[in-house]
Amino acid sequence: ELKVEQNPLFLSMQEGKNYTIYCNYSTTSDRLYWYRQDPGKSLESLFVLLSNGAVKQEGRLMASLDTKARLSTLHITAAVHDLSATYFCAVDTNAGKSTFGDGTTLTVKP
Amino acid sequence: DTGVSQNPRHKITKRGQNVTFRCDPISEHNRLYWYRQTLGQGPEFLTYFQNEAQLEKSRLLSDRFSAERPKGSFSTLEIQRTEQGDSAMYLCASSASQGRSYNEQFFGPGTRLTVL
């Protein structure tokens, strides 16, 4: 059974600081997703990572994938308050259903 | 708006009642997924359809749960004899099985179920 683990589960950081969220998964997969979820809202797709070494950047967020290590990272650069949310990684199994991590709740403080 | 839509957005029911939720996927998507999310957890897969065929069901989907997608477009998720443990956000997502956005899932706003 595929397991997806994120760490940390909770992250409090100051504006302007950098930090990395980690996502480990237990079996081979060919695609990994990062989502953002605001309280009481649905999931917003951030990144789709399709191959080993893939790196994608959008604003202050950058995601990478190492399929050999079964590891993805979401790096936050110079955090701002608007980035406060819960971030999920999800890994595709066969036929496209996704297995999600438990999420990392990020709080950015002034 | 051509995104995934779900109805109702909120449902409060008494234990033992039946409830039904509807999901309308993005029109050109042939895959449709149902997930359940409880507070502090990531979404858990329940079931998925390709066109009208239900291809996989999670062990989480007890015999009180049933899902249909009769014409390969919208889907319904029914929960019979609801229990308090069914209280959760029920999320629907859709994707295309081919093309540039192959298998990228787009989520609807969810239906929040509260069982009293």
Side-chain angles (χ1 to χ4, degrees):
Chain A
E1 182 184 341
L2 173 62
K3 297 214 181 284
V4 180
E5 292 185 353
Q6 289 182 236
N7 71 84
L9 297 182
F10 298 94
L11 176 55
S12 180
M13 54 192 298
Q14 284 190 309
E15 281 190 332
K17 299 293 187 182
N18 304 334
Y19 209 83
T20 300
I21 299 170
Y22 297 88
C23 174
N24 290 89
Y25 53 99
S26 60
T27 63
T28 303
S29 174
D30 60 356
R31 54 183 60 219
L32 185 143
Y33 307 89
W34 284 97
Y35 295 90
R36 169 182 172 143
Q37 188 175 40
D38 292 295
K41 305 291 187 181
S42 190
L43 283 82
E44 174 192 353
S45 178
L46 295 175
F47 300 108
V48 181
L49 301 170
L50 301 178
S51 59
N52 187 43
V55 177
K56 291 196 173 179
Q57 183 164 4
E58 181 73 33
R60 300 174 187 274
L61 300 178
M62 183 173 71
S64 66
L65 178 62
D66 181 344
T67 58
K68 294 179 181 178
R70 298 177 186 164
L71 171 69
S72 179
T73 61
L74 180 67
H75 186 73
I76 302 154
T77 301
V80 293
H81 179 70
D82 285 352
L83 289 180
S84 297
T86 298
Y87 294 86
F88 291 96
C89 65
V91 177
D92 261 6
T93 57
N94 57 308
K97 75 176 189 185
S98 291
T99 299
F100 284 78
D102 284 337
T104 297
T105 299
L106 171 65
T107 304
V108 181
K109 299 180 178 179
Chain B
D1 188 336
T2 58
V4 179
S5 63
Q6 292 186 246
N7 288 288
R9 297 290 305 278
H10 303 274
K11 179 71 177 178
I12 300 174
T13 192
K14 293 183 179 179
R15 190 175 54 186
Q17 298 295 305
N18 300 343
V19 293
T20 300
F21 311 140
R22 176 178 169 129
C23 172
D24 288 87
I26 293 171
S27 58
E28 58 266 30
H29 285 178
N30 61 339
R31 286 184 173 171
L32 187 148
Y33 308 80
W34 285 100
Y35 292 86
R36 180 174 68 187
Q37 186 179 25
T38 53
L39 198 62
Q41 305 290 318
E44 295 175 296
F45 170 79
L46 293 178
T47 188
Y48 98 97
F49 294 83
Q50 179 155 314
N51 301 313
E52 65 275 9
Q54 188 173 20
L55 296 187
E56 188 168 351
K57 290 171 60 173
S58 166
R59 288 169 295 175
L60 294 173
L61 214 65
S62 77
D63 56 4
R64 296 185 298 107
F65 288 70
S66 62
E68 293 183 342
R69 194 182 183 200
K71 297 181 180 180
S73 56
F74 73 91
S75 175
T76 58
L77 177 69
E78 182 183 16
I79 309 174
Q80 296 182 326
R81 305 181 304 280
T82 52
E83 302 173 356
Q84 288 184 325
D86 297 331
S87 296
M89 175 79 90
Y90 290 83
L91 294 165
C92 175
S94 68
S95 73
S97 61
Q98 56 188 358
R100 191 164 180 268
S101 298
Y102 165 69
N103 262 354
E104 182 179 0
Q105 294 178 32
F106 295 83
F107 282 81
T111 295
R112 182 167 296 283
L113 172 66
T114 302
V115 182
L116 302 176

